[in-house]
Amino acid sequence: MIKIKFLIFIVIISCFYCCDKLFPDEKLSLQRIDYKGNELQTNGYYYCYFAQTDVTAIYFLYRNGIIRYIGGYSRYNEDNREQEIIKYYNKSVKTDWGVFVVDANSIQYETWEARPSGVSACIRRRSGYIENDTTFCITESYYSGRNETKQVNEIYHFKQFENKPDSTNIYVK
């Protein structure tokens, strides 16, 4: 009986340490390239309010082509949002990061997202158009975890922010 429990324990531990090899994260299909344009401002963050969940999603865009998701914040907490953003800086995980590309008046970005099984990360690709240098609209969202594309209407507005976190991370090269 002890041998069986020990064997099960060894199998579970082995799977835990080998998961990244058995179930690797998907790779981003967009290549990171420096953003040299002026179609969008990058000295702050972009936010979109989702009424159905009462959550405001926040993204930072960086001149090196990296995008960082900082989280979703309750609308009831708008006065403290920027203090909460600063607290989040050190809680970096792979699903916070990705790359974005601007081409004329269109924007596309990819970030990692948890797969439905929770074992590895898959890709969320969003695309849309740039309205002006402080507003863009996401019109399509593709989630590779379910191989599903949805039409959406997410309008992101810019807010200047002096305490923008650095884009250094171990996930996007």
Side-chain angles (χ1 to χ4, degrees):
M1 184 66 155
I2 293 174
K3 288 182 182 182
I4 292 173
K5 287 181 180 179
F6 181 72
L7 182 60
I8 291 171
F9 176 75
I10 295 298
V11 169
I12 291 171
I13 294 299
S14 296
C15 286
F16 179 73
Y17 285 107
C18 296
C19 274
D20 60 335
K21 290 177 181 40
L22 293 172
F23 306 102
D25 293 341
E26 288 185 24
K27 304 235 184 281
L28 298 175
S29 65
L30 292 177
Q31 296 297 309
R32 186 194 64 76
I33 55 173
D34 289 348
Y35 174 59
K36 297 179 180 179
N38 60 1
E39 296 89 350
L40 290 170
Q41 293 192 33
T42 59
N43 59 335
Y45 60 85
Y46 286 86
Y47 65 93
C48 178
Y49 176 67
F50 296 91
Q52 66 274 21
T53 57
D54 189 41
V55 169
T56 300
I58 296 175
Y59 286 91
F60 284 102
L61 302 179
Y62 296 91
R63 285 280 169 189
N64 61 0
I66 290 177
I67 187 169
R68 183 176 184 192
Y69 175 66
I70 286 291
Y73 298 90
S74 169
R75 186 169 195 150
Y76 297 113
N77 211 9
E78 278 188 21
D79 295 336
N80 298 326
R81 179 188 306 153
E82 293 181 356
Q83 288 82 14
E84 293 298 316
I85 290 171
I86 293 169
K87 286 180 189 175
Y88 189 82
Y89 287 174
N90 296 326
K91 298 179 181 176
S92 176
V93 295
K94 190 170 192 173
T95 54
D96 292 345
W97 300 97
V99 297
F100 77 97
V101 175
V102 170
D103 184 17
N105 70 336
S106 68
I107 183 170
Q108 185 176 44
Y109 62 89
E110 287 182 340
T111 55
W112 284 281
E113 193 163 309
R115 187 174 297 284
S117 66
V119 176
S120 62
C122 55
I123 301 300
R124 171 78 68 183
R125 182 181 315 116
R126 295 173 180 259
S127 58
Y129 64 91
I130 298 170
E131 195 169 293
N132 56 51
D133 71 340
T134 61
T135 308
F136 64 88
C137 182
I138 296 299
T139 57
E140 186 174 277
S141 178
Y142 169 74
Y143 177 53
S144 69
R146 290 192 189 96
N147 194 24
E148 98 186 338
T149 301
K150 291 183 179 179
Q151 301 307 306
V152 297
N153 184 26
E154 301 172 2
I155 300 172
Y156 287 83
H157 300 281
F158 177 77
K159 181 156 188 321
Q160 191 169 353
F161 186 59
E162 300 301 323
N163 294 317
K164 184 176 177 179
D166 189 89
S167 67
T168 303
N169 70 85
I170 62 172
Y171 310 108
V172 180
K173 304 298 179 221

